PDB file of all heavy atoms in Angstrom:
ATOM      1  N   GLY T  46      19.513  67.394  61.164  1.00 92.00           N
ATOM      2  CA  GLY T  46      19.499  68.812  61.508  1.00 92.00           C
ATOM      3  C   GLY T  46      19.037  69.675  60.354  1.00 92.00           C
ATOM      4  O   GLY T  46      18.285  70.648  60.537  1.00 92.00           O
ATOM      5  N   GLU T  47      19.459  69.306  59.136  1.00 92.00           N
ATOM      6  CA  GLU T  47      19.062  70.074  57.959  1.00 92.00           C
ATOM      7  C   GLU T  47      17.568  69.900  57.654  1.00 92.00           C
ATOM      8  O   GLU T  47      16.881  70.853  57.268  1.00 92.00           O
ATOM      9  CB  GLU T  47      19.893  69.622  56.759  1.00 92.00           C
ATOM     10  CG  GLU T  47      19.775  70.505  55.537  1.00 92.00           C
ATOM     11  CD  GLU T  47      20.471  71.857  55.710  1.00 92.00           C
ATOM     12  OE1 GLU T  47      21.306  72.005  56.635  1.00 92.00           O
ATOM     13  OE2 GLU T  47      20.161  72.771  54.932  1.00 92.00           O
ATOM     14  N   LEU T  48      17.061  68.672  57.857  1.00 93.00           N
ATOM     15  CA  LEU T  48      15.656  68.396  57.581  1.00 93.00           C
ATOM     16  C   LEU T  48      14.734  68.899  58.689  1.00 93.00           C
ATOM     17  O   LEU T  48      13.559  69.191  58.458  1.00 93.00           O
ATOM     18  CB  LEU T  48      15.438  66.886  57.391  1.00 93.00           C
ATOM     19  CG  LEU T  48      16.117  66.236  56.184  1.00 93.00           C
ATOM     20  CD1 LEU T  48      15.949  64.716  56.249  1.00 93.00           C
ATOM     21  CD2 LEU T  48      15.557  66.775  54.880  1.00 93.00           C
ATOM     22  N   GLY T  49      15.262  68.919  59.908  1.00 92.00           N
ATOM     23  CA  GLY T  49      14.442  69.321  61.046  1.00 92.00           C
ATOM     24  C   GLY T  49      13.610  68.176  61.611  1.00 92.00           C
ATOM     25  O   GLY T  49      12.639  68.423  62.332  1.00 92.00           O
ATOM     26  N   PHE T  50      13.994  66.931  61.290  1.00 93.00           N
ATOM     27  CA  PHE T  50      13.275  65.758  61.787  1.00 93.00           C
ATOM     28  C   PHE T  50      14.274  64.666  62.167  1.00 93.00           C
ATOM     29  O   PHE T  50      15.324  64.523  61.525  1.00 93.00           O
ATOM     30  CB  PHE T  50      12.335  65.185  60.713  1.00 93.00           C
ATOM     31  CG  PHE T  50      11.153  66.042  60.402  1.00 93.00           C
ATOM     32  CD1 PHE T  50      11.209  66.968  59.370  1.00 93.00           C
ATOM     33  CD2 PHE T  50       9.981  65.929  61.146  1.00 93.00           C
ATOM     34  CE1 PHE T  50      10.113  67.761  59.071  1.00 93.00           C
ATOM     35  CE2 PHE T  50       8.885  66.712  60.846  1.00 93.00           C
ATOM     36  CZ  PHE T  50       8.952  67.631  59.815  1.00 93.00           C
ATOM     37  N   LYS T  51      13.932  63.895  63.198  1.00 94.00           N
ATOM     38  CA  LYS T  51      14.724  62.716  63.546  1.00 94.00           C
ATOM     39  C   LYS T  51      14.362  61.578  62.605  1.00 94.00           C
ATOM     40  O   LYS T  51      13.180  61.262  62.408  1.00 94.00           O
ATOM     41  CB  LYS T  51      14.450  62.296  64.991  1.00 94.00           C
ATOM     42  CG  LYS T  51      15.113  63.152  66.047  1.00 94.00           C
ATOM     43  CD  LYS T  51      14.820  62.597  67.442  1.00 94.00           C
ATOM     44  CE  LYS T  51      15.411  61.206  67.614  1.00 94.00           C
ATOM     45  NZ  LYS T  51      15.200  60.692  69.002  1.00 94.00           N
ATOM     46  N   LEU T  52      15.368  60.951  62.039  1.00 95.00           N
ATOM     47  CA  LEU T  52      15.158  59.825  61.124  1.00 95.00           C
ATOM     48  C   LEU T  52      15.344  58.487  61.819  1.00 95.00           C
ATOM     49  O   LEU T  52      14.799  57.467  61.369  1.00 95.00           O
ATOM     50  CB  LEU T  52      16.123  59.922  59.934  1.00 95.00           C
ATOM     51  CG  LEU T  52      15.990  61.191  59.088  1.00 95.00           C
ATOM     52  CD1 LEU T  52      17.107  61.253  58.053  1.00 95.00           C
ATOM     53  CD2 LEU T  52      14.628  61.263  58.412  1.00 95.00           C
ATOM     54  N   PHE T  53      16.103  58.482  62.930  1.00 94.00           N
ATOM     55  CA  PHE T  53      16.380  57.256  63.667  1.00 94.00           C
ATOM     56  C   PHE T  53      16.106  57.450  65.152  1.00 94.00           C
ATOM     57  O   PHE T  53      16.307  58.536  65.704  1.00 94.00           O
ATOM     58  CB  PHE T  53      17.848  56.831  63.503  1.00 94.00           C
ATOM     59  CG  PHE T  53      18.213  56.349  62.126  1.00 94.00           C
ATOM     60  CD1 PHE T  53      18.700  57.232  61.184  1.00 94.00           C
ATOM     61  CD2 PHE T  53      18.085  55.008  61.787  1.00 94.00           C
ATOM     62  CE1 PHE T  53      19.062  56.797  59.911  1.00 94.00           C
ATOM     63  CE2 PHE T  53      18.441  54.556  60.528  1.00 94.00           C
ATOM     64  CZ  PHE T  53      18.921  55.445  59.589  1.00 94.00           C
ATOM     65  N   GLU T  54      15.664  56.362  65.769  1.00 93.00           N
ATOM     66  CA  GLU T  54      15.632  56.277  67.222  1.00 93.00           C
ATOM     67  C   GLU T  54      16.872  55.521  67.650  1.00 93.00           C
ATOM     68  O   GLU T  54      17.089  54.383  67.239  1.00 93.00           O
ATOM     69  CB  GLU T  54      14.378  55.535  67.697  1.00 93.00           C
ATOM     70  CG  GLU T  54      13.069  56.258  67.428  1.00 93.00           C
ATOM     71  CD  GLU T  54      12.882  57.480  68.308  1.00 93.00           C
ATOM     72  OE1 GLU T  54      13.687  57.688  69.251  1.00 93.00           O
ATOM     73  OE2 GLU T  54      11.929  58.233  68.054  1.00 93.00           O
ATOM     74  N   ARG T  55      17.740  56.148  68.463  1.00 89.00           N
ATOM     75  CA  ARG T  55      18.959  55.494  68.932  1.00 89.00           C
ATOM     76  C   ARG T  55      18.637  54.717  70.201  1.00 89.00           C
ATOM     77  O   ARG T  55      18.399  55.307  71.256  1.00 89.00           O
ATOM     78  CB  ARG T  55      20.058  56.506  69.215  1.00 89.00           C
ATOM     79  CG  ARG T  55      20.823  57.001  67.984  1.00 89.00           C
ATOM     80  CD  ARG T  55      20.071  58.042  67.200  1.00 89.00           C
ATOM     81  NE  ARG T  55      20.908  58.711  66.196  1.00 89.00           N
ATOM     82  CZ  ARG T  55      20.449  59.535  65.290  1.00 89.00           C
ATOM     83  NH1 ARG T  55      19.154  59.821  65.235  1.00 89.00           N
ATOM     84  NH2 ARG T  55      21.277  60.087  64.420  1.00 89.00           N
ATOM     85  N   LEU T  56      18.611  53.385  70.106  1.00 85.00           N
ATOM     86  CA  LEU T  56      18.334  52.525  71.240  1.00 85.00           C
ATOM     87  C   LEU T  56      19.628  51.972  71.800  1.00 85.00           C
ATOM     88  O   LEU T  56      20.720  52.250  71.282  1.00 85.00           O
ATOM     89  CB  LEU T  56      17.387  51.396  70.817  1.00 85.00           C
ATOM     90  CG  LEU T  56      16.090  51.875  70.141  1.00 85.00           C
ATOM     91  CD1 LEU T  56      15.256  50.702  69.666  1.00 85.00           C
ATOM     92  CD2 LEU T  56      15.279  52.761  71.092  1.00 85.00           C
ATOM     93  N   ALA T  57      19.526  51.167  72.848  1.00 76.00           N
ATOM     94  CA  ALA T  57      20.724  50.711  73.551  1.00 76.00           C
ATOM     95  C   ALA T  57      21.667  49.921  72.641  1.00 76.00           C
ATOM     96  O   ALA T  57      22.871  50.172  72.611  1.00 76.00           O
ATOM     97  CB  ALA T  57      20.312  49.864  74.759  1.00 76.00           C
TER      98      ALA T  57
END
Side-chain angles (χ1 to χ4, degrees):
E47 191 71 17
L48 295 173
F50 290 93
K51 284 183 63 177
L52 300 173
F53 291 92
E54 293 289 351
R55 280 79 168 172
L56 306 176

